[in-house]
Amino acid sequence: MSVMVSIEVFDLESQFGPIEKLFGSYFDAGNKLLSRNYIDWLYGRNPFGCARMVIARIDSEWIASWR
């Protein structure tokens, strides 16, 4: 098993599902961190600019992310 790490510019359409799944393993349902609008603001429309995501994957499943 190998971990693949990449740096990618945030894209809501392709990254929301994996972010929601990863965060959902740590936060209760209904937490604002799982909200599509909040994730879009935090990573895509943040006043500091669009996030560059550091993503760690095993196969295609996200196991960690940083911004």
Side-chain angles (χ1 to χ4, degrees):
M1 165 179 21
S2 63
V3 176
M4 300 298 296
V5 178
S6 62
I7 300 173
E8 303 172 17
V9 175
F10 174 74
D11 176 67
L12 181 65
E13 296 308 314
S14 67
Q15 295 176 340
F16 176 72
I19 289 172
E20 181 182 42
K21 183 176 179 182
L22 178 64
F23 287 6
S25 64
Y26 295 100
F27 301 101
D28 294 330
N31 189 302
K32 76 176 181 179
L33 291 173
L34 302 176
S35 159
R36 184 178 182 93
N37 287 334
Y38 182 75
I39 288 173
D40 185 33
W41 174 83
L42 182 64
Y43 297 122
R45 296 181 290 117
N46 188 294
F48 294 104
C50 190
R52 277 36 170 201
M53 308 289 291
V54 178
I55 304 165
R57 296 177 175 93
I58 293 179
D59 296 323
S60 62
E61 185 170 345
W62 288 28
I63 58 169
S65 72
W66 301 269
R67 68 170 187 104

